[in-house]
Amino acid sequence: MEKKDFLLIAAILSIGFSLLGIRFLFEVDHVLYAEIAFEHGVQTVCLDENRVFCLPDAQNVLFEVRDGQVAFIESDCPDQFCVHAGFQGRSGRIVACLPNRLVLSIIGGSASVDDLDIFVGRVPTSDGDRNPDEEWRKIGRISGVGGSGN
């Protein structure tokens, strides 16, 4: 190889690494939230503070937020799929506790369409007009079935 070949390779590599560096330099740190849909509405929880909590409408189910992730840690449901799903911290993840009519969805961050496995149902037509029955028809990634969660 000649000196020109090495210079060309070095130039291509430096341009590639520069573009990669610029991408990471301008990437915004997105805050994740958890939306917990229940029979009478939706509760939004920020995942930046560690805590253990339950919802007033579902005091038999305990949630934990730890290190930017959230999990069902206790439930009175028979199969415990929601508890076995573990901690979830990636945008687009959904875990459901069907006996208690609870759906935990991770929102925010930088999710892409490629993160979804399946979407069933239709999106509510008017902005901010959420129908709890419509929310139960939305299914994304149900992590509680036969997996470790993440």
Tab-separated table of all heavy atoms in Angstrom, residues 39-82:
chain	number	residue	atom	x	y	z
A	39	GLU	N	-58.675	1.348	36.163
A	39	GLU	CA	-60.092	1.422	35.816
A	39	GLU	C	-60.637	2.841	35.751
A	39	GLU	O	-61.477	3.152	34.923
A	39	GLU	CB	-60.902	0.605	36.826
A	39	GLU	CG	-62.311	0.349	36.377
A	39	GLU	CD	-63.011	-0.670	37.250
A	39	GLU	OE1	-62.357	-1.297	38.090
A	39	GLU	OE2	-64.217	-0.819	37.078
A	40	HIS	N	-60.125	3.747	36.579
A	40	HIS	CA	-60.685	5.098	36.645
A	40	HIS	C	-59.777	6.173	36.072
A	40	HIS	O	-60.002	7.348	36.297
A	40	HIS	CB	-61.034	5.446	38.097
A	40	HIS	CG	-62.035	4.526	38.700
A	40	HIS	ND1	-63.349	4.482	38.274
A	40	HIS	CD2	-61.919	3.588	39.658
A	40	HIS	CE1	-63.997	3.566	38.971
A	40	HIS	NE2	-63.153	3.005	39.812
A	41	GLY	N	-58.722	5.805	35.372
A	41	GLY	CA	-57.864	6.829	34.794
A	41	GLY	C	-56.453	6.350	34.545
A	41	GLY	O	-56.191	5.154	34.416
A	42	VAL	N	-55.535	7.318	34.502
A	42	VAL	CA	-54.128	7.047	34.242
A	42	VAL	C	-53.291	7.834	35.241
A	42	VAL	O	-53.530	9.021	35.463
A	42	VAL	CB	-53.740	7.462	32.798
A	42	VAL	CG1	-52.257	7.280	32.553
A	42	VAL	CG2	-54.545	6.686	31.778
A	43	GLN	N	-52.318	7.185	35.836
A	43	GLN	CA	-51.368	7.826	36.757
A	43	GLN	C	-50.012	7.868	36.057
A	43	GLN	O	-49.536	6.846	35.565
A	43	GLN	CB	-51.256	7.008	38.053
A	43	GLN	CG	-50.223	7.504	39.022
A	43	GLN	CD	-50.687	8.726	39.783
A	43	GLN	OE1	-51.870	8.842	40.091
A	43	GLN	NE2	-49.776	9.620	40.073
A	44	THR	N	-49.381	9.043	35.999
A	44	THR	CA	-48.063	9.188	35.394
A	44	THR	C	-47.028	9.320	36.503
A	44	THR	O	-47.198	10.098	37.437
A	44	THR	CB	-48.014	10.427	34.482
A	44	THR	OG1	-49.027	10.306	33.492
A	44	THR	CG2	-46.668	10.546	33.800
A	45	VAL	N	-45.947	8.545	36.382
A	45	VAL	CA	-44.899	8.512	37.405
A	45	VAL	C	-43.556	8.766	36.729
A	45	VAL	O	-43.217	8.099	35.749
A	45	VAL	CB	-44.873	7.131	38.099
A	45	VAL	CG1	-43.769	7.062	39.130
A	45	VAL	CG2	-46.215	6.811	38.711
A	46	CYS	N	-42.794	9.731	37.245
A	46	CYS	CA	-41.457	9.996	36.725
A	46	CYS	C	-40.499	8.937	37.276
A	46	CYS	O	-40.580	8.554	38.444
A	46	CYS	CB	-41.001	11.391	37.135
A	46	CYS	SG	-39.447	11.868	36.382
A	47	LEU	N	-39.592	8.460	36.437
A	47	LEU	CA	-38.699	7.370	36.837
A	47	LEU	C	-37.325	7.860	37.298
A	47	LEU	O	-36.392	7.085	37.372
A	47	LEU	CB	-38.526	6.385	35.678
A	47	LEU	CG	-39.802	5.711	35.183
A	47	LEU	CD1	-39.479	4.723	34.079
A	47	LEU	CD2	-40.542	5.045	36.315
A	48	ASP	N	-37.211	9.144	37.646
A	48	ASP	CA	-35.903	9.644	38.058
A	48	ASP	C	-35.694	9.649	39.571
A	48	ASP	O	-34.629	10.019	40.043
A	48	ASP	CB	-35.648	11.037	37.480
A	48	ASP	CG	-36.609	12.085	38.002
A	48	ASP	OD1	-37.565	11.721	38.706
A	48	ASP	OD2	-36.399	13.277	37.689
A	49	GLU	N	-36.685	9.210	40.332
A	49	GLU	CA	-36.560	9.171	41.791
A	49	GLU	C	-36.959	7.793	42.313
A	49	GLU	O	-38.058	7.316	42.041
A	49	GLU	CB	-37.464	10.243	42.408
A	49	GLU	CG	-37.357	10.342	43.903
A	49	GLU	CD	-38.254	11.448	44.450
A	49	GLU	OE1	-38.343	12.509	43.815
A	49	GLU	OE2	-38.867	11.215	45.504
A	50	ASN	N	-36.078	7.153	43.079
A	50	ASN	CA	-36.365	5.825	43.630
A	50	ASN	C	-37.457	5.916	44.687
A	50	ASN	O	-37.397	6.782	45.566
A	50	ASN	CB	-35.111	5.218	44.248
A	50	ASN	CG	-34.034	4.951	43.229
A	50	ASN	OD1	-34.262	4.997	42.031
A	50	ASN	ND2	-32.844	4.664	43.703
A	51	ARG	N	-38.434	5.010	44.598
A	51	ARG	CA	-39.507	4.961	45.595
A	51	ARG	C	-40.353	3.715	45.405
A	51	ARG	O	-40.302	3.064	44.366
A	51	ARG	CB	-40.379	6.205	45.549
A	51	ARG	CG	-41.158	6.369	44.260
A	51	ARG	CD	-41.878	7.712	44.257
A	51	ARG	NE	-42.604	7.894	43.031
A	51	ARG	CZ	-43.875	8.251	42.979
A	51	ARG	NH1	-44.554	8.446	44.094
A	51	ARG	NH2	-44.479	8.402	41.837
A	52	VAL	N	-41.133	3.405	46.422
A	52	VAL	CA	-42.099	2.310	46.394
A	52	VAL	C	-43.464	2.940	46.622
A	52	VAL	O	-43.620	3.787	47.503
A	52	VAL	CB	-41.785	1.259	47.480
A	52	VAL	CG1	-42.854	0.188	47.519
A	52	VAL	CG2	-40.421	0.644	47.245
A	53	PHE	N	-44.458	2.534	45.826
A	53	PHE	CA	-45.772	3.149	45.939
A	53	PHE	C	-46.859	2.182	45.487
A	53	PHE	O	-46.582	1.159	44.868
A	53	PHE	CB	-45.847	4.441	45.119
A	53	PHE	CG	-45.737	4.224	43.640
A	53	PHE	CD1	-46.877	4.148	42.851
A	53	PHE	CD2	-44.499	4.094	43.035
A	53	PHE	CE1	-46.767	3.948	41.485
A	53	PHE	CE2	-44.388	3.894	41.665
A	53	PHE	CZ	-45.525	3.818	40.892
A	54	CYS	N	-48.089	2.544	45.803
A	54	CYS	CA	-49.262	1.846	45.279
A	54	CYS	C	-50.269	2.903	44.845
A	54	CYS	O	-50.173	4.070	45.233
A	54	CYS	CB	-49.860	0.891	46.305
A	54	CYS	SG	-50.536	1.698	47.749
A	55	LEU	N	-51.216	2.504	44.036
A	55	LEU	CA	-52.262	3.418	43.580
A	55	LEU	C	-53.430	3.370	44.562
A	55	LEU	O	-53.732	2.307	45.126
A	55	LEU	CB	-52.748	3.011	42.192
A	55	LEU	CG	-51.712	3.039	41.079
A	55	LEU	CD1	-52.314	2.504	39.790
A	55	LEU	CD2	-51.198	4.444	40.876
A	56	PRO	N	-54.113	4.472	44.773
A	56	PRO	CA	-55.269	4.469	45.679
A	56	PRO	C	-56.350	3.471	45.249
A	56	PRO	O	-57.003	2.864	46.089
A	56	PRO	CB	-55.799	5.905	45.601
A	56	PRO	CG	-54.660	6.720	45.115
A	56	PRO	CD	-53.820	5.814	44.269
A	57	ASP	N	-56.517	3.269	43.940
A	57	ASP	CA	-57.539	2.352	43.435
A	57	ASP	C	-57.087	0.896	43.419
A	57	ASP	O	-57.889	0.001	43.184
A	57	ASP	CB	-57.959	2.742	42.019
A	57	ASP	CG	-58.837	3.982	42.009
A	57	ASP	OD1	-59.060	4.550	43.095
A	57	ASP	OD2	-59.296	4.368	40.930
A	58	ALA	N	-55.786	0.651	43.636
A	58	ALA	CA	-55.256	-0.719	43.598
A	58	ALA	C	-54.214	-0.885	44.694
A	58	ALA	O	-53.030	-1.063	44.436
A	58	ALA	CB	-54.658	-1.015	42.232
A	59	GLN	N	-54.658	-0.839	45.934
A	59	GLN	CA	-53.719	-0.903	47.054
A	59	GLN	C	-53.156	-2.300	47.276
A	59	GLN	O	-52.235	-2.478	48.052
A	59	GLN	CB	-54.386	-0.373	48.318
A	59	GLN	CG	-54.685	1.099	48.190
A	59	GLN	CD	-55.047	1.738	49.502
A	59	GLN	OE1	-55.024	1.113	50.541
A	59	GLN	NE2	-55.379	3.013	49.444
A	60	ASN	N	-53.674	-3.281	46.570
A	60	ASN	CA	-53.165	-4.643	46.660
A	60	ASN	C	-52.003	-4.884	45.693
A	60	ASN	O	-51.474	-5.984	45.623
A	60	ASN	CB	-54.290	-5.644	46.396
A	60	ASN	CG	-55.021	-5.334	45.103
A	60	ASN	OD1	-54.966	-4.222	44.584
A	60	ASN	ND2	-55.724	-6.315	44.580
A	61	VAL	N	-51.611	-3.854	44.932
A	61	VAL	CA	-50.504	-3.949	43.982
A	61	VAL	C	-49.454	-2.911	44.365
A	61	VAL	O	-49.765	-1.742	44.552
A	61	VAL	CB	-50.984	-3.701	42.533
A	61	VAL	CG1	-49.826	-3.788	41.562
A	61	VAL	CG2	-52.073	-4.695	42.156
A	62	LEU	N	-48.212	-3.368	44.478
A	62	LEU	CA	-47.116	-2.495	44.889
A	62	LEU	C	-46.135	-2.332	43.735
A	62	LEU	O	-45.768	-3.320	43.081
A	62	LEU	CB	-46.411	-3.125	46.088
A	62	LEU	CG	-45.613	-2.230	47.014
A	62	LEU	CD1	-46.477	-1.136	47.614
A	62	LEU	CD2	-45.030	-3.076	48.142
A	63	PHE	N	-45.712	-1.093	43.482
A	63	PHE	CA	-44.761	-0.765	42.418
A	63	PHE	C	-43.472	-0.250	43.051
A	63	PHE	O	-43.504	0.330	44.131
A	63	PHE	CB	-45.309	0.339	41.504
A	63	PHE	CG	-46.574	-0.019	40.791
A	63	PHE	CD1	-47.812	0.267	41.349
A	63	PHE	CD2	-46.526	-0.638	39.557
A	63	PHE	CE1	-48.981	-0.056	40.685
A	63	PHE	CE2	-47.689	-0.960	38.886
A	63	PHE	CZ	-48.920	-0.675	39.455
A	64	GLU	N	-42.360	-0.445	42.347
A	64	GLU	CA	-41.084	0.129	42.798
A	64	GLU	C	-40.396	0.805	41.618
A	64	GLU	O	-40.298	0.233	40.529
A	64	GLU	CB	-40.160	-0.937	43.376
A	64	GLU	CG	-38.846	-0.340	43.870
A	64	GLU	CD	-37.904	-1.363	44.485
A	64	GLU	OE1	-38.270	-2.558	44.548
A	64	GLU	OE2	-36.810	-0.962	44.891
A	65	VAL	N	-39.911	2.029	41.861
A	65	VAL	CA	-39.086	2.753	40.896
A	65	VAL	C	-37.672	2.720	41.439
A	65	VAL	O	-37.429	3.116	42.585
A	65	VAL	CB	-39.557	4.211	40.719
A	65	VAL	CG1	-38.611	4.970	39.805
A	65	VAL	CG2	-40.977	4.259	40.195
A	66	ARG	N	-36.747	2.199	40.618
A	66	ARG	CA	-35.342	2.105	41.039
A	66	ARG	C	-34.435	2.289	39.829
A	66	ARG	O	-34.565	1.586	38.831
A	66	ARG	CB	-35.069	0.747	41.691
A	66	ARG	CG	-33.655	0.616	42.192
A	66	ARG	CD	-33.340	-0.682	42.915
A	66	ARG	NE	-34.396	-1.659	42.972
A	66	ARG	CZ	-34.214	-2.959	42.783
A	66	ARG	NH1	-33.017	-3.428	42.503
A	66	ARG	NH2	-35.207	-3.798	42.872
A	67	ASP	N	-33.513	3.224	39.924
A	67	ASP	CA	-32.490	3.458	38.892
A	67	ASP	C	-33.097	3.658	37.502
A	67	ASP	O	-32.634	3.095	36.513
A	67	ASP	CB	-31.486	2.308	38.858
A	67	ASP	CG	-30.773	2.127	40.185
A	67	ASP	OD1	-30.545	3.140	40.868
A	67	ASP	OD2	-30.463	0.973	40.537
A	68	GLY	N	-34.159	4.447	37.422
A	68	GLY	CA	-34.762	4.750	36.129
A	68	GLY	C	-35.620	3.645	35.552
A	68	GLY	O	-35.968	3.680	34.375
A	69	GLN	N	-35.959	2.657	36.359
A	69	GLN	CA	-36.809	1.550	35.915
A	69	GLN	C	-37.944	1.367	36.909
A	69	GLN	O	-37.854	1.799	38.057
A	69	GLN	CB	-36.006	0.261	35.813
A	69	GLN	CG	-34.876	0.335	34.815
A	69	GLN	CD	-34.158	-0.997	34.681
A	69	GLN	OE1	-34.116	-1.791	35.610
A	69	GLN	NE2	-33.594	-1.233	33.507
A	70	VAL	N	-39.002	0.709	36.481
A	70	VAL	CA	-40.156	0.479	37.340
A	70	VAL	C	-40.595	-0.978	37.209
A	70	VAL	O	-40.402	-1.597	36.162
A	70	VAL	CB	-41.318	1.450	36.988
A	70	VAL	CG1	-41.824	1.212	35.588
A	70	VAL	CG2	-42.447	1.371	38.004
A	71	ALA	N	-41.176	-1.496	38.301
A	71	ALA	CA	-41.637	-2.888	38.291
A	71	ALA	C	-42.828	-3.054	39.225
A	71	ALA	O	-42.992	-2.314	40.192
A	71	ALA	CB	-40.518	-3.824	38.734
A	72	PHE	N	-43.656	-4.037	38.882
A	72	PHE	CA	-44.633	-4.552	39.838
A	72	PHE	C	-43.805	-5.384	40.817
A	72	PHE	O	-43.117	-6.316	40.399
A	72	PHE	CB	-45.618	-5.506	39.156
A	72	PHE	CG	-46.642	-4.866	38.261
A	72	PHE	CD1	-46.365	-4.573	36.944
A	72	PHE	CD2	-47.920	-4.595	38.737
A	72	PHE	CE1	-47.322	-4.026	36.103
A	72	PHE	CE2	-48.885	-4.049	37.918
A	72	PHE	CZ	-48.587	-3.757	36.596
A	73	ILE	N	-43.845	-5.111	42.098
A	73	ILE	CA	-43.073	-5.936	43.028
A	73	ILE	C	-43.961	-6.808	43.909
A	73	ILE	O	-43.484	-7.760	44.523
A	73	ILE	CB	-42.113	-5.101	43.900
A	73	ILE	CG1	-42.854	-4.066	44.718
A	73	ILE	CG2	-41.033	-4.476	43.056
A	73	ILE	CD1	-41.980	-3.396	45.766
A	74	GLU	N	-45.244	-6.493	43.931
A	74	GLU	CA	-46.172	-7.315	44.713
A	74	GLU	C	-47.569	-7.158	44.141
A	74	GLU	O	-47.988	-6.055	43.792
A	74	GLU	CB	-46.153	-6.834	46.170
A	74	GLU	CG	-46.852	-7.732	47.135
A	74	GLU	CD	-46.671	-7.224	48.560
A	74	GLU	OE1	-45.531	-7.165	49.030
A	74	GLU	OE2	-47.704	-6.881	49.177
A	75	SER	N	-48.272	-8.278	44.019
A	75	SER	CA	-49.630	-8.254	43.502
A	75	SER	C	-50.376	-9.466	44.045
A	75	SER	O	-49.775	-10.498	44.324
A	75	SER	CB	-49.610	-8.294	41.971
A	75	SER	OG	-50.925	-8.344	41.469
A	76	ASP	N	-51.691	-9.325	44.156
A	76	ASP	CA	-52.491	-10.445	44.637
A	76	ASP	C	-53.067	-11.282	43.492
A	76	ASP	O	-53.899	-12.150	43.725
A	76	ASP	CB	-53.621	-9.944	45.542
A	76	ASP	CG	-54.620	-9.075	44.808
A	76	ASP	OD1	-54.345	-8.682	43.656
A	76	ASP	OD2	-55.675	-8.766	45.397
A	77	CYS	N	-52.595	-11.059	42.279
A	77	CYS	CA	-53.097	-11.833	41.141
A	77	CYS	C	-52.556	-13.272	41.209
A	77	CYS	O	-51.471	-13.503	41.751
A	77	CYS	CB	-52.729	-11.165	39.816
A	77	CYS	SG	-50.979	-11.002	39.508
A	78	PRO	N	-53.265	-14.244	40.644
A	78	PRO	CA	-52.865	-15.644	40.807
A	78	PRO	C	-51.593	-16.058	40.055
A	78	PRO	O	-50.793	-16.827	40.579
A	78	PRO	CB	-54.072	-16.429	40.293
A	78	PRO	CG	-54.842	-15.485	39.450
A	78	PRO	CD	-54.554	-14.106	39.974
A	79	ASP	N	-51.367	-15.564	38.850
A	79	ASP	CA	-50.241	-16.043	38.044
A	79	ASP	C	-48.946	-15.264	38.239
A	79	ASP	O	-47.872	-15.756	37.893
A	79	ASP	CB	-50.607	-16.034	36.553
A	79	ASP	CG	-51.699	-17.036	36.245
A	79	ASP	OD1	-51.707	-18.100	36.888
A	79	ASP	OD2	-52.535	-16.740	35.367
A	80	GLN	N	-49.030	-14.027	38.721
A	80	GLN	CA	-47.861	-13.198	39.008
A	80	GLN	C	-47.020	-12.880	37.768
A	80	GLN	O	-45.822	-12.645	37.868
A	80	GLN	CB	-46.975	-13.859	40.075
A	80	GLN	CG	-47.665	-14.094	41.404
A	80	GLN	CD	-47.807	-12.812	42.201
A	80	GLN	OE1	-46.818	-12.177	42.515
A	80	GLN	NE2	-49.039	-12.448	42.515
A	81	PHE	N	-47.629	-12.883	36.567
A	81	PHE	CA	-46.882	-12.512	35.358
A	81	PHE	C	-46.324	-11.100	35.479
A	81	PHE	O	-45.214	-10.826	35.032
A	81	PHE	CB	-47.756	-12.606	34.113
A	81	PHE	CG	-48.051	-14.007	33.665
A	81	PHE	CD1	-49.335	-14.380	33.333
A	81	PHE	CD2	-47.037	-14.942	33.561
A	81	PHE	CE1	-49.612	-15.668	32.904
A	81	PHE	CE2	-47.299	-16.235	33.136
A	81	PHE	CZ	-48.588	-16.597	32.810
A	82	CYS	N	-47.116	-10.203	36.055
A	82	CYS	CA	-46.686	-8.814	36.174
A	82	CYS	C	-45.452	-8.696	37.069
A	82	CYS	O	-44.519	-7.951	36.760
A	82	CYS	CB	-47.821	-7.948	36.703
A	82	CYS	SG	-48.545	-8.519	38.259
